[in-house]
Amino acid sequence: MKHLLSTENLSIQDAIGILDTAEEMATVGDREVKKLPALRGRTVVNLFFEDSTRTRISFEAAAKRLSADVINFAAKGSSVSKGESLKDTAQTLAAMGADAVVIRHWASGAPHRLAATDWIDAAIINAGDGTHEHPTQALLDAFTMRRHWSKLNGTASTGSALKGMRVAIAGDVLHSRVARSNVWLLRTLGADVTLVAPPTLLPIGVESWPCKVSYDLDSTLEAGVDAMMMLRVQGERMNASFFPSTREYSRRWGFDDTRLKALDELGLKDTIIMHPGPMNRGLEISSSAADSPRSTVLDQVRNGVSVRMAALYLLLSGDSREAAPSLSSAPSSSKENN
Ligand code: NCD
C-alpha cells in the first residue's frame, strides 16, 4: 500500500492490518512517554484546504508520537489564497522533502490527483475530500466498533472483523464522506449496514450501495442495532432547504432523549452511539445521548490517533520505501526521497 485514498478498494487484509497495527499503537498512548522512534527523520505535511479540528490535530499527534517532523499547512493565510494551484503547492512540498502528505480538500478527488501525478513522490493520505471519502475516519470508527463487538462476543479483537454486527448510519448521508467511507469499509469487514435519512438527504444511486436504506429511524431501531452512528447535518454544504425545519429534523431523524430511552425499552442494552464530530447538539444528537455511557464520541477521538499512527507507520515503512523502520528501533539515517 503506497497511499491511503479510499476504503472502497481497501482489501480486508489491508483493513485488518491497519486495525491490528492500531491496537499495537494504542499501547503507546497508555505509556508515560507516548513516543516511538519509528518515523524519526521522516517529514509529514498536513495540507488542509478545509477547516478541521479533530482530524488535523489527530494526524499531528499521530505523526509526533512516531517521532516524525510535522509541518502544518493551512490554505487560509498561505499562497493558496493568492491563487496558487494544487500542482505548485505539491511541487513546493516535494522540494521541501515531504515523505507523506495528509490532505483535506473541498474538491472530491483532490488526493487521488496528487497520488496519480508526478508532482510529488510522497505517500498521500486522504483526510477528507469534498463529499467523497474520509478513510481514516471510517477506520477509526471500525476500530471502535471492533473493540466493542469483540468484548461483547468474548473474542480477541485483533485479526477479527465485524461479521454479524448491525450498524445504522443516520442523517445527512448526501454530504457525508464519513458515511461513504464507512459503508465500503463495513461491507468489507462483514457488518450489516443500514443508512437512515430523509429522501432529500440520500445521494442518487444509493440503491446500488452495499447496504440497506430506510427513511424511518424508529423502525430501524426496533429491528435491532448494535452501533448507531449519527452524522452531522452539514449546513455549509447545503445550498437549498433539505428539510422543513431543524425542529422537524431532530424529531424525525435526530437521536433525541426519547430514542435514547427507547434503546432500554427495546432491550438494546449494549448498543453504542457514535458521532464523528463536530456535533450539532440538539439537532442530530441530544446532549444526553452524546454524554451518555453509550456514547463512544471521545473513544473515537482517542482511537483516531492510534489508527492514524498505524496508517502513517504502514505507509512510510512499507516495502516500496527504503529504510523500513521497525516499531522498536530508529530508521536508518539515509533519506532517499528528494
Ligand atoms: C467529519 C468530516 O470532516 O468529514 N468530521 C471529522 O473528520 N471528524 C464529519 C463532519 O464534518 O461532519
Side-chain angles (χ1 to χ4, degrees), residues 54-55 104 134 137 177-178 232 234 236-237 276-278:
R54 266 155 277 265
T55 306
R104 168 167 288 195
H134 192 352
Q137 178 68 43
R177 50 200 177 202
V178 175
R232 183 173 67 86
Q234 306 209 0
E236 79 279 19
R237 297 191 207 276

Side-chain angles (χ1 to χ4, degrees), residues 16-323:
I16 290 187
I18 295 171
L19 299 181
D20 287 353
T21 307
E23 281 292 352
E24 282 185 58
M25 295 299 177
T27 63
V28 179
D30 299 336
R31 293 191 203 156
E32 203 182 328
V33 178
K34 299 181 179 47
K35 209 142 178 129
L36 288 175
L39 297 185
R40 206 153 63 188
R42 300 299 178 99
T43 300
V44 176
V45 177
N46 280 327
L47 180 59
F48 277 63
F49 292 87
E50 243 192 14
D51 296 341
S52 167
T53 307
R54 266 155 277 265
T55 306
R56 195 186 56 70
I57 61 179
S58 178
F59 269 110
E60 182 171 356
K64 285 182 170 164
R65 279 187 195 174
L66 292 170
S67 307
D69 295 318
V70 182
I71 298 173
N72 287 315
F73 178 109
K76 269 184 214 143
S78 75
S79 292
V80 169
S81 42
K82 298 180 188 163
E84 187 165 64
S85 67
L86 185 61
K87 177 177 175 179
D88 287 330
T89 306
Q91 287 179 332
T92 303
L93 300 178
M96 285 180 186
D99 296 298
V101 176
V102 176
I103 175 173
R104 168 167 288 195
H105 203 285
W106 38 264
S108 300
H112 303 71
R113 181 132 181 85
L114 270 195
T117 57
D118 60 1
W119 302 338
I120 183 166
D121 174 37
I124 309 294
I125 301 185
N126 180 1
D129 61 324
T131 58
H132 181 221
E133 281 230 40
H134 192 352
T136 58
Q137 178 68 43
L139 284 158
L140 76 88
D141 291 335
F143 181 92
T144 307
M145 290 182 218
R146 190 175 74 159
R147 278 195 164 179
H148 177 70
W149 195 232
S150 56
K151 199 157 113 202
L152 265 186
N153 294 311
T155 51
S157 74
T158 51
S160 69
L162 298 174
K163 241 189 176 49
M165 189 173 191
R166 297 163 301 178
V167 182
I169 303 177
D172 185 358
V173 178
L174 179 64
H175 301 106
S176 179
R177 50 200 177 202
V178 175
R180 281 171 184 72
S181 284
N182 261 291
V183 167
W184 310 128
L185 181 63
L186 291 169
R187 168 215 44 194
T188 302
L189 295 174
D192 167 13
V193 182
T194 305
L195 294 174
V196 192
T200 49
L201 287 177
L202 283 167
I204 294 168
V206 72
E207 333 55 73
S208 65
W209 293 13
C211 58
K212 293 186 211 108
V213 176
S214 161
Y215 305 133
D216 187 340
L217 186 50
D218 294 314
S219 62
T220 305
L221 291 176
E222 278 157 30
V225 168
D226 302 302
M228 179 71 242
M229 183 186 297
M230 303 310 297
L231 300 171
R232 183 173 67 86
V233 174
Q234 306 209 0
E236 79 279 19
R237 297 191 207 276
M238 292 184 186
N239 50 10
S241 177
F242 286 87
F243 46 86
S245 68
T246 51
R247 213 182 129 116
E248 175 74 356
Y249 184 90
S250 75
R251 194 180 65 76
R252 295 195 54 188
W253 316 107
F255 204 89
D256 59 5
D257 295 355
T258 315
R259 295 193 171 101
L260 182 62
K261 226 178 317 123
L263 290 184
D264 294 328
E265 290 159 11
L266 292 165
L268 294 169
K269 66 177 178 35
D270 297 313
T271 302
I272 51 173
I273 303 168
M274 310 180 72
H275 193 300
M279 294 184 278
N280 293 308
R281 286 175 182 254
L283 183 53
E284 72 266 1
I285 190 165
S286 70
S287 269
S288 349
D291 300 331
S292 82
R294 293 178 182 272
S295 165
T296 59
V297 171
L298 294 176
D299 295 321
Q300 288 168 262
V301 174
R302 206 170 294 117
N303 295 339
V305 179
S306 309
V307 165
R308 288 168 177 133
M309 284 172 80
L312 286 168
Y313 174 75
L314 292 170
L315 290 175
L316 290 181
S317 65
D319 295 337
S320 58
R321 279 165 193 273
E322 292 236 343

